[in-house]
Amino acid sequence: MSKWRDELDAINRKSQARLSKALPDIFPANVLTHAFARRFIPPMPRLAVDSYWRAHPVRAERLARGLATKSGAPVGWTWRVGSNPKAGLPATFRTPPAPYRERGFARGPGFCCVCGQPVYRFGWHADLWDAGPNKNAMWHAACVIAWQFWNAPSDQVNVLKRLQARRCAQSGRRLLRTAEVDHRIPLFEVWRTHRAAPWPALLAFWGLPNLQVINREVHVAKCAVEAAYRGNGALAGKSPQQS
Ligand SMILES: [Zn+2]
């Protein structure tokens, strides 16, 4: 145990030295504090930034929506799904709409494909270095995490449970270990009735405002009601291309 501890300390001393050497004069203080508190200190500034956002998915998710608000939707864009991967359209309505990922609206190198804002050094979202956009980057470090959050919210079940003080968002009972992440307004309903809502307000349906953790039995009941509802409607469980 103590040998392992010694090894870890040695690795961390090396990483700390590498990180300190590679650090520019200006670097986000909260990222640095986070990096030095890690069990394994990230040895490079970019890794420190990635590690910071990975540890703060809720913050990343909010930031990504905030940055997207600055961009707004491109003129002429509407939310569409499609099966041609070259067009960059999402294949299903389950994927969050992202105009700047689409071929016709992408802003090119140096701009984030999720939010449309410029990407700076280390994937940061503000130009702390006055160096202009990083032409090799197409993602903010924060937007990578936000994108993962929106596409796989179940991976953040523990974070969401904590935010709900471990109470089921529907029944108010204590959340069980088998509790599941749910979209309050299901995504098929978003596609069906909110399709024309402005972007990026639409993104909130994938983000924290529309996510809840509920106990499995409550979730099963909710899904049954939703399936019956869909059965009466146009979608009837089919993807939008099929309907
Ligand atoms: Zn972004």
Side-chain angles (χ1 to χ4, degrees), residues 121-173:
R121 277 183 92 176
F122 312 121
W124 203 245
H125 51 282
D127 194 3
L128 305 178
W129 306 272
D130 214 9
N134 173 2
K135 297 282 185 198
N136 295 319
M138 291 187 74
W139 291 79
H140 288 121
C143 290
V144 171
I145 299 299
W147 188 252
Q148 289 168 354
F149 192 130
W150 296 335
N151 282 286
S154 299
D155 292 354
Q156 302 299 341
V157 64
N158 289 332
V159 173
L160 296 169
K161 275 180 174 177
R162 219 165 34 236
L163 287 176
Q164 286 177 204
R166 304 188 189 283
R167 294 275 151 195
C168 173
Q170 292 274 310
S171 68
R173 296 225 175 102

Short mmCIF file of all heavy atoms in Angstrom, two decimals, residues 121-173:
data_model
loop_
_atom_site.label_atom_id
_atom_site.label_comp_id
_atom_site.label_asym_id
_atom_site.label_seq_id
_atom_site.Cartn_x
_atom_site.Cartn_y
_atom_site.Cartn_z
N ARG A 121 -7.13 29.04 -26.96
CA ARG A 121 -6.10 28.09 -26.50
C ARG A 121 -6.67 27.11 -25.51
O ARG A 121 -7.54 27.44 -24.71
CB ARG A 121 -4.97 28.86 -25.78
CG ARG A 121 -3.96 29.45 -26.72
CD ARG A 121 -2.86 30.11 -25.92
NE ARG A 121 -1.74 29.21 -25.64
CZ ARG A 121 -0.63 29.60 -25.01
NH1 ARG A 121 -0.50 30.84 -24.58
NH2 ARG A 121 0.34 28.74 -24.81
N PHE A 122 -6.18 25.90 -25.57
CA PHE A 122 -6.58 24.81 -24.64
C PHE A 122 -8.07 24.50 -24.70
O PHE A 122 -8.65 24.00 -23.75
CB PHE A 122 -6.17 25.14 -23.19
CG PHE A 122 -4.75 25.60 -23.04
CD1 PHE A 122 -4.47 26.84 -22.49
CD2 PHE A 122 -3.70 24.79 -23.45
CE1 PHE A 122 -3.16 27.28 -22.36
CE2 PHE A 122 -2.38 25.22 -23.32
CZ PHE A 122 -2.11 26.47 -22.78
N GLY A 123 -8.71 24.88 -25.81
CA GLY A 123 -10.15 24.61 -25.92
C GLY A 123 -10.98 25.50 -25.03
O GLY A 123 -12.16 25.23 -24.80
N TRP A 124 -10.35 26.60 -24.54
CA TRP A 124 -11.07 27.50 -23.64
C TRP A 124 -12.04 28.37 -24.45
O TRP A 124 -11.89 28.53 -25.66
CB TRP A 124 -10.07 28.35 -22.85
CG TRP A 124 -10.62 28.89 -21.55
CD1 TRP A 124 -10.83 30.19 -21.22
CD2 TRP A 124 -11.02 28.13 -20.40
NE1 TRP A 124 -11.33 30.28 -19.94
CE2 TRP A 124 -11.47 29.04 -19.42
CE3 TRP A 124 -11.06 26.76 -20.10
CZ2 TRP A 124 -11.94 28.64 -18.17
CZ3 TRP A 124 -11.53 26.36 -18.86
CH2 TRP A 124 -11.96 27.30 -17.91
N HIS A 125 -13.03 28.91 -23.77
CA HIS A 125 -14.11 29.64 -24.46
C HIS A 125 -13.91 31.15 -24.41
O HIS A 125 -14.74 31.90 -24.92
CB HIS A 125 -15.45 29.27 -23.83
CG HIS A 125 -15.42 29.42 -22.35
ND1 HIS A 125 -14.83 28.48 -21.53
CD2 HIS A 125 -15.86 30.40 -21.54
CE1 HIS A 125 -14.93 28.88 -20.28
NE2 HIS A 125 -15.53 30.04 -20.26
N ALA A 126 -12.87 31.61 -23.72
CA ALA A 126 -12.58 33.05 -23.65
C ALA A 126 -11.12 33.24 -24.04
O ALA A 126 -10.27 32.39 -23.74
CB ALA A 126 -12.83 33.57 -22.24
N ASP A 127 -10.83 34.33 -24.71
CA ASP A 127 -9.47 34.57 -25.19
C ASP A 127 -8.65 35.25 -24.10
O ASP A 127 -8.35 36.45 -24.18
CB ASP A 127 -9.51 35.42 -26.46
CG ASP A 127 -8.17 35.41 -27.17
OD1 ASP A 127 -7.24 34.70 -26.70
OD2 ASP A 127 -8.04 36.10 -28.20
N LEU A 128 -8.26 34.49 -23.08
CA LEU A 128 -7.51 35.05 -21.95
C LEU A 128 -6.12 35.51 -22.39
O LEU A 128 -5.47 36.28 -21.70
CB LEU A 128 -7.34 33.99 -20.85
CG LEU A 128 -8.61 33.35 -20.31
CD1 LEU A 128 -8.27 32.30 -19.26
CD2 LEU A 128 -9.53 34.42 -19.71
N TRP A 129 -5.67 35.02 -23.54
CA TRP A 129 -4.29 35.24 -23.98
C TRP A 129 -4.21 36.27 -25.10
O TRP A 129 -3.14 36.55 -25.60
CB TRP A 129 -3.68 33.91 -24.42
CG TRP A 129 -3.81 32.88 -23.35
CD1 TRP A 129 -2.92 32.64 -22.34
CD2 TRP A 129 -4.91 31.97 -23.15
NE1 TRP A 129 -3.41 31.65 -21.53
CE2 TRP A 129 -4.61 31.21 -21.99
CE3 TRP A 129 -6.11 31.72 -23.81
CZ2 TRP A 129 -5.46 30.23 -21.49
CZ3 TRP A 129 -6.97 30.74 -23.32
CH2 TRP A 129 -6.64 30.01 -22.17
N ASP A 130 -5.34 36.75 -25.52
CA ASP A 130 -5.38 37.72 -26.61
C ASP A 130 -4.67 37.17 -27.85
O ASP A 130 -3.95 37.90 -28.54
CB ASP A 130 -4.70 39.02 -26.14
CG ASP A 130 -5.39 40.23 -26.77
OD1 ASP A 130 -6.46 40.04 -27.39
OD2 ASP A 130 -4.85 41.35 -26.66
N ALA A 131 -4.86 35.90 -28.12
CA ALA A 131 -4.14 35.23 -29.22
C ALA A 131 -5.07 34.88 -30.37
O ALA A 131 -4.63 34.31 -31.36
CB ALA A 131 -3.46 33.97 -28.69
N GLY A 132 -6.34 35.20 -30.24
CA GLY A 132 -7.30 34.87 -31.31
C GLY A 132 -7.68 33.40 -31.28
O GLY A 132 -7.13 32.62 -30.50
N PRO A 133 -8.64 33.03 -32.14
CA PRO A 133 -9.10 31.64 -32.15
C PRO A 133 -7.99 30.67 -32.53
O PRO A 133 -7.08 31.02 -33.27
CB PRO A 133 -10.20 31.63 -33.22
CG PRO A 133 -10.60 33.06 -33.41
CD PRO A 133 -9.39 33.87 -33.09
N ASN A 134 -8.09 29.47 -32.00
CA ASN A 134 -7.17 28.38 -32.34
C ASN A 134 -7.70 27.69 -33.58
O ASN A 134 -8.70 26.98 -33.53
CB ASN A 134 -7.10 27.42 -31.15
CG ASN A 134 -6.30 26.17 -31.47
OD1 ASN A 134 -5.77 26.02 -32.56
ND2 ASN A 134 -6.23 25.27 -30.51
N LYS A 135 -7.00 27.90 -34.70
CA LYS A 135 -7.51 27.41 -36.00
C LYS A 135 -7.53 25.89 -36.11
O LYS A 135 -8.07 25.34 -37.06
CB LYS A 135 -6.67 28.00 -37.14
CG LYS A 135 -6.75 29.50 -37.24
CD LYS A 135 -8.06 29.94 -37.90
CE LYS A 135 -8.09 31.44 -38.13
NZ LYS A 135 -9.44 31.93 -38.37
N ASN A 136 -6.86 25.23 -35.17
CA ASN A 136 -6.86 23.76 -35.23
C ASN A 136 -8.00 23.15 -34.43
O ASN A 136 -8.14 21.93 -34.38
CB ASN A 136 -5.54 23.21 -34.66
CG ASN A 136 -4.37 23.62 -35.51
OD1 ASN A 136 -4.47 23.60 -36.73
ND2 ASN A 136 -3.30 24.04 -34.88
N ALA A 137 -8.80 23.99 -33.79
CA ALA A 137 -9.81 23.45 -32.87
C ALA A 137 -11.21 23.66 -33.42
O ALA A 137 -11.51 24.66 -34.07
CB ALA A 137 -9.68 24.13 -31.52
N MET A 138 -12.07 22.69 -33.18
CA MET A 138 -13.47 22.81 -33.58
C MET A 138 -14.43 22.46 -32.45
O MET A 138 -15.62 22.30 -32.68
CB MET A 138 -13.74 21.93 -34.80
CG MET A 138 -13.03 22.47 -36.05
SD MET A 138 -13.48 21.58 -37.55
CE MET A 138 -15.12 22.20 -37.85
N TRP A 139 -13.88 22.30 -31.27
CA TRP A 139 -14.71 22.01 -30.09
C TRP A 139 -14.17 22.80 -28.90
O TRP A 139 -12.95 22.82 -28.69
CB TRP A 139 -14.62 20.53 -29.70
CG TRP A 139 -15.26 19.55 -30.62
CD1 TRP A 139 -14.74 19.08 -31.80
CD2 TRP A 139 -16.51 18.87 -30.43
NE1 TRP A 139 -15.60 18.16 -32.34
CE2 TRP A 139 -16.68 18.00 -31.53
CE3 TRP A 139 -17.49 18.90 -29.43
CZ2 TRP A 139 -17.80 17.18 -31.67
CZ3 TRP A 139 -18.60 18.08 -29.57
CH2 TRP A 139 -18.75 17.24 -30.68
N HIS A 140 -15.02 23.39 -28.11
CA HIS A 140 -14.61 23.84 -26.79
C HIS A 140 -14.46 22.62 -25.89
O HIS A 140 -15.25 21.66 -26.03
CB HIS A 140 -15.68 24.75 -26.16
CG HIS A 140 -15.77 26.09 -26.80
ND1 HIS A 140 -16.93 26.55 -27.38
CD2 HIS A 140 -14.85 27.08 -26.94
CE1 HIS A 140 -16.72 27.76 -27.87
NE2 HIS A 140 -15.47 28.11 -27.62
N ALA A 141 -13.52 22.69 -24.98
CA ALA A 141 -13.38 21.58 -24.02
C ALA A 141 -14.70 21.40 -23.26
O ALA A 141 -15.14 20.28 -23.02
CB ALA A 141 -12.24 21.88 -23.06
N ALA A 142 -15.34 22.51 -22.92
CA ALA A 142 -16.61 22.43 -22.18
C ALA A 142 -17.71 21.82 -23.05
O ALA A 142 -18.55 21.04 -22.57
CB ALA A 142 -17.03 23.82 -21.71
N CYS A 143 -17.71 22.16 -24.34
CA CYS A 143 -18.78 21.68 -25.23
C CYS A 143 -18.65 20.19 -25.52
O CYS A 143 -19.66 19.53 -25.79
CB CYS A 143 -18.80 22.50 -26.51
SG CYS A 143 -19.41 24.20 -26.21
N VAL A 144 -17.43 19.65 -25.45
CA VAL A 144 -17.26 18.20 -25.59
C VAL A 144 -18.05 17.50 -24.47
O VAL A 144 -18.81 16.57 -24.71
CB VAL A 144 -15.76 17.81 -25.47
CG1 VAL A 144 -15.60 16.29 -25.39
CG2 VAL A 144 -14.97 18.36 -26.66
N ILE A 145 -17.88 18.01 -23.27
CA ILE A 145 -18.54 17.40 -22.11
C ILE A 145 -20.05 17.64 -22.18
O ILE A 145 -20.85 16.74 -21.89
CB ILE A 145 -17.96 17.98 -20.80
CG1 ILE A 145 -16.46 17.66 -20.71
CG2 ILE A 145 -18.70 17.44 -19.58
CD1 ILE A 145 -16.11 16.19 -20.70
N ALA A 146 -20.44 18.83 -22.61
CA ALA A 146 -21.88 19.13 -22.74
C ALA A 146 -22.51 18.19 -23.76
O ALA A 146 -23.60 17.65 -23.53
CB ALA A 146 -22.07 20.58 -23.17
N TRP A 147 -21.84 17.98 -24.87
CA TRP A 147 -22.35 17.12 -25.94
C TRP A 147 -22.55 15.69 -25.41
O TRP A 147 -23.56 15.04 -25.68
CB TRP A 147 -21.40 17.15 -27.13
CG TRP A 147 -21.94 16.46 -28.35
CD1 TRP A 147 -21.52 15.28 -28.87
CD2 TRP A 147 -23.02 16.91 -29.19
NE1 TRP A 147 -22.27 14.97 -29.98
CE2 TRP A 147 -23.19 15.95 -30.20
CE3 TRP A 147 -23.86 18.03 -29.18
CZ2 TRP A 147 -24.16 16.06 -31.20
CZ3 TRP A 147 -24.83 18.15 -30.17
CH2 TRP A 147 -24.98 17.17 -31.16
N GLN A 148 -21.56 15.22 -24.66
CA GLN A 148 -21.67 13.87 -24.07
C GLN A 148 -22.84 13.82 -23.08
O GLN A 148 -23.60 12.86 -23.03
CB GLN A 148 -20.37 13.48 -23.35
CG GLN A 148 -19.23 13.21 -24.32
CD GLN A 148 -17.88 13.11 -23.63
OE1 GLN A 148 -17.75 13.34 -22.42
NE2 GLN A 148 -16.86 12.77 -24.39
N PHE A 149 -22.96 14.88 -22.29
CA PHE A 149 -24.03 14.97 -21.29
C PHE A 149 -25.39 14.88 -22.00
O PHE A 149 -26.27 14.10 -21.61
CB PHE A 149 -23.89 16.30 -20.55
CG PHE A 149 -24.74 16.44 -19.31
CD1 PHE A 149 -24.17 16.85 -18.11
CD2 PHE A 149 -26.10 16.16 -19.32
CE1 PHE A 149 -24.94 16.99 -16.96
CE2 PHE A 149 -26.87 16.30 -18.18
CZ PHE A 149 -26.29 16.72 -17.01
N TRP A 150 -25.58 15.67 -23.04
CA TRP A 150 -26.87 15.70 -23.74
C TRP A 150 -27.19 14.37 -24.41
O TRP A 150 -28.35 13.95 -24.45
CB TRP A 150 -26.87 16.80 -24.81
CG TRP A 150 -26.72 18.19 -24.27
CD1 TRP A 150 -27.07 18.61 -23.01
CD2 TRP A 150 -26.20 19.33 -24.94
NE1 TRP A 150 -26.77 19.95 -22.88
CE2 TRP A 150 -26.25 20.41 -24.05
CE3 TRP A 150 -25.69 19.54 -26.22
CZ2 TRP A 150 -25.81 21.69 -24.39
CZ3 TRP A 150 -25.25 20.81 -26.57
CH2 TRP A 150 -25.32 21.87 -25.66
N ASN A 151 -26.14 13.70 -24.93
CA ASN A 151 -26.37 12.46 -25.66
C ASN A 151 -26.45 11.23 -24.77
O ASN A 151 -27.03 10.22 -25.17
CB ASN A 151 -25.29 12.27 -26.73
CG ASN A 151 -25.55 13.12 -27.95
OD1 ASN A 151 -26.44 12.82 -28.75
ND2 ASN A 151 -24.84 14.23 -28.08
N ALA A 152 -25.85 11.30 -23.60
CA ALA A 152 -25.87 10.15 -22.68
C ALA A 152 -26.07 10.64 -21.25
O ALA A 152 -25.19 10.49 -20.42
CB ALA A 152 -24.56 9.36 -22.81
N PRO A 153 -27.22 11.23 -20.96
CA PRO A 153 -27.43 11.79 -19.62
C PRO A 153 -27.37 10.74 -18.51
O PRO A 153 -27.06 11.07 -17.37
CB PRO A 153 -28.82 12.45 -19.71
CG PRO A 153 -29.49 11.81 -20.87
CD PRO A 153 -28.40 11.41 -21.83
N SER A 154 -27.64 9.48 -18.87
CA SER A 154 -27.60 8.42 -17.85
C SER A 154 -26.21 8.29 -17.22
O SER A 154 -26.08 7.86 -16.08
CB SER A 154 -27.98 7.08 -18.46
OG SER A 154 -29.29 7.17 -18.96
N ASP A 155 -25.18 8.67 -17.99
CA ASP A 155 -23.82 8.59 -17.44
C ASP A 155 -23.64 9.53 -16.25
O ASP A 155 -22.71 9.38 -15.48
CB ASP A 155 -22.78 8.96 -18.52
CG ASP A 155 -22.72 7.93 -19.64
OD1 ASP A 155 -23.38 6.88 -19.51
OD2 ASP A 155 -22.02 8.18 -20.64
N GLN A 156 -24.52 10.52 -16.14
CA GLN A 156 -24.39 11.52 -15.07
C GLN A 156 -25.43 11.27 -13.96
O GLN A 156 -25.75 12.19 -13.21
CB GLN A 156 -24.54 12.93 -15.62
CG GLN A 156 -23.53 13.27 -16.71
CD GLN A 156 -22.09 13.19 -16.22
OE1 GLN A 156 -21.82 13.22 -15.02
NE2 GLN A 156 -21.16 13.08 -17.14
N VAL A 157 -25.89 10.04 -13.88
CA VAL A 157 -26.97 9.77 -12.92
C VAL A 157 -26.57 10.16 -11.49
O VAL A 157 -27.39 10.71 -10.74
CB VAL A 157 -27.43 8.29 -13.00
CG1 VAL A 157 -26.33 7.33 -12.61
CG2 VAL A 157 -28.68 8.06 -12.18
N ASN A 158 -25.32 9.94 -11.13
CA ASN A 158 -24.91 10.26 -9.75
C ASN A 158 -24.89 11.76 -9.48
O ASN A 158 -25.28 12.21 -8.40
CB ASN A 158 -23.55 9.64 -9.44
CG ASN A 158 -23.66 8.12 -9.33
OD1 ASN A 158 -24.73 7.60 -8.97
ND2 ASN A 158 -22.60 7.41 -9.66
N VAL A 159 -24.46 12.51 -10.48
CA VAL A 159 -24.46 13.98 -10.36
C VAL A 159 -25.90 14.47 -10.20
O VAL A 159 -26.21 15.29 -9.34
CB VAL A 159 -23.81 14.61 -11.62
CG1 VAL A 159 -23.95 16.12 -11.60
CG2 VAL A 159 -22.35 14.20 -11.72
N LEU A 160 -26.78 13.94 -11.04
CA LEU A 160 -28.18 14.37 -11.02
C LEU A 160 -28.86 13.96 -9.71
O LEU A 160 -29.66 14.71 -9.15
CB LEU A 160 -28.93 13.80 -12.23
CG LEU A 160 -28.42 14.31 -13.60
CD1 LEU A 160 -29.01 13.50 -14.74
CD2 LEU A 160 -28.74 15.79 -13.78
N LYS A 161 -28.53 12.77 -9.23
CA LYS A 161 -29.10 12.32 -7.94
C LYS A 161 -28.73 13.29 -6.82
O LYS A 161 -29.55 13.64 -5.99
CB LYS A 161 -28.54 10.93 -7.58
CG LYS A 161 -29.27 9.77 -8.20
CD LYS A 161 -28.61 8.47 -7.73
CE LYS A 161 -29.38 7.26 -8.21
NZ LYS A 161 -28.72 5.99 -7.83
N ARG A 162 -27.47 13.70 -6.86
CA ARG A 162 -26.99 14.62 -5.82
C ARG A 162 -27.76 15.94 -5.89
O ARG A 162 -28.17 16.49 -4.86
CB ARG A 162 -25.49 14.86 -6.02
CG ARG A 162 -24.73 14.93 -4.74
CD ARG A 162 -23.23 14.80 -4.85
NE ARG A 162 -22.61 15.36 -6.04
CZ ARG A 162 -21.85 14.64 -6.87
NH1 ARG A 162 -21.63 13.37 -6.66
NH2 ARG A 162 -21.29 15.22 -7.91
N LEU A 163 -27.98 16.43 -7.11
CA LEU A 163 -28.70 17.70 -7.28
C LEU A 163 -30.13 17.61 -6.75
O LEU A 163 -30.72 18.61 -6.36
CB LEU A 163 -28.72 18.10 -8.76
CG LEU A 163 -27.41 18.61 -9.35
CD1 LEU A 163 -27.56 18.88 -10.83
CD2 LEU A 163 -26.95 19.88 -8.64
N GLN A 164 -30.69 16.41 -6.78
CA GLN A 164 -32.07 16.21 -6.30
C GLN A 164 -32.11 15.77 -4.84
O GLN A 164 -33.15 15.29 -4.38
CB GLN A 164 -32.76 15.14 -7.16
CG GLN A 164 -33.13 15.62 -8.53
CD GLN A 164 -33.75 14.53 -9.40
OE1 GLN A 164 -33.70 14.62 -10.61
NE2 GLN A 164 -34.34 13.51 -8.81
N ALA A 165 -30.97 15.89 -4.16
CA ALA A 165 -30.87 15.46 -2.77
C ALA A 165 -31.36 14.02 -2.60
O ALA A 165 -31.95 13.66 -1.58
CB ALA A 165 -31.63 16.42 -1.85
N ARG A 166 -31.11 13.21 -3.64
CA ARG A 166 -31.42 11.77 -3.63
C ARG A 166 -32.90 11.46 -3.43
O ARG A 166 -33.27 10.45 -2.84
CB ARG A 166 -30.55 11.04 -2.59
CG ARG A 166 -29.08 11.29 -2.84
CD ARG A 166 -28.14 10.49 -2.01
NE ARG A 166 -26.78 11.00 -2.21
CZ ARG A 166 -26.04 10.73 -3.28
NH1 ARG A 166 -26.49 9.95 -4.22
NH2 ARG A 166 -24.83 11.25 -3.40
N ARG A 167 -33.74 12.37 -3.89
CA ARG A 167 -35.20 12.14 -3.85
C ARG A 167 -35.71 11.94 -5.27
O ARG A 167 -35.28 12.66 -6.19
CB ARG A 167 -35.93 13.33 -3.23
CG ARG A 167 -35.62 13.56 -1.77
CD ARG A 167 -36.51 12.71 -0.90
NE ARG A 167 -35.85 12.37 0.37
CZ ARG A 167 -36.25 11.43 1.20
NH1 ARG A 167 -37.30 10.69 0.91
NH2 ARG A 167 -35.62 11.20 2.32
N CYS A 168 -36.64 11.03 -5.44
CA CYS A 168 -37.26 10.79 -6.75
C CYS A 168 -38.02 12.04 -7.16
O CYS A 168 -38.84 12.56 -6.39
CB CYS A 168 -38.20 9.59 -6.67
SG CYS A 168 -39.18 9.34 -8.17
N ALA A 169 -37.76 12.52 -8.38
CA ALA A 169 -38.36 13.78 -8.83
C ALA A 169 -39.86 13.65 -9.05
O ALA A 169 -40.57 14.65 -9.13
CB ALA A 169 -37.67 14.25 -10.10
N GLN A 170 -40.37 12.44 -9.16
CA GLN A 170 -41.80 12.25 -9.38
C GLN A 170 -42.53 11.89 -8.09
O GLN A 170 -43.56 12.45 -7.78
CB GLN A 170 -42.03 11.15 -10.42
CG GLN A 170 -41.59 11.53 -11.82
CD GLN A 170 -42.65 12.29 -12.60
OE1 GLN A 170 -43.79 11.87 -12.69
NE2 GLN A 170 -42.27 13.42 -13.17
N SER A 171 -41.99 10.93 -7.36
CA SER A 171 -42.72 10.44 -6.18
C SER A 171 -42.27 11.11 -4.88
O SER A 171 -42.97 11.04 -3.88
CB SER A 171 -42.53 8.93 -6.04
OG SER A 171 -41.18 8.65 -5.71
N GLY A 172 -41.11 11.75 -4.91
CA GLY A 172 -40.58 12.36 -3.69
C GLY A 172 -39.96 11.36 -2.73
O GLY A 172 -39.38 11.73 -1.72
N ARG A 173 -40.04 10.07 -3.09
CA ARG A 173 -39.43 9.04 -2.24
C ARG A 173 -37.92 9.03 -2.42
O ARG A 173 -37.39 9.60 -3.38
CB ARG A 173 -39.98 7.66 -2.63
CG ARG A 173 -41.45 7.50 -2.40
CD ARG A 173 -41.72 6.14 -1.74
NE ARG A 173 -43.14 6.04 -1.40
CZ ARG A 173 -44.01 5.34 -2.11
NH1 ARG A 173 -43.59 4.66 -3.15
NH2 ARG A 173 -45.27 5.29 -1.75
#
